[in-house]
Amino acid sequence: MVKYLLTAAAVYLGAIGLALLFVPARFGVGAVPPDASPELLALLRLLGGPLLGIAVLNWMSRKAPPSGLRRTVLLANLVGFGVVAANDVVGVVTGDARDLARIFVVVHLAFAAAFAVALVRRAPVTASGRA
């Protein structure tokens, strides 16, 4: 299950990272004004880089044996998706988010829940890094 979860997260984050890098205004439709400043577009592009980095980390970790490092990758994904999902929930509840956020909140909550389940199912790691 973890292999497929990390693969799905890698593809998802990679797609978002590439969209932010190459078509930030189109990706941000409904949130980015049509006459967006170059500074805003540059900021959106800046966010694409770390998402691509996390996508690569997930992709490279998907076949790694269970270890402290893989557990760390799962925890990092849980925190990342959990914070984004919480932000989506607040935006949807307050009405401050764009309409598309209703879809993203489901996706991000699903990823956060899946990473939480993956972490709970992992055997505890000892100080030596072995289960």
Side-chain angles (χ1 to χ4, degrees), residues 111-125:
F111 270 115
F115 278 109
V117 168
L119 269 168
V120 169
R121 288 188 176 176
R122 305 294 326 149
V125 177

Side-chain angles (χ1 to χ4, degrees), residues 10 13-14 50-62:
L13 293 171
L51 290 176
L52 286 175
I54 297 166
V56 170
L57 181 67
N58 286 344
W59 185 261
M60 298 302 292
S61 299
R62 74 192 193 288

Side-chain angles (χ1 to χ4, degrees), residues 3 7 35-36 56 64 109 115:
K3 176 183 173 183
T7 300
D35 59 343
V56 170
L109 282 171
F115 278 109

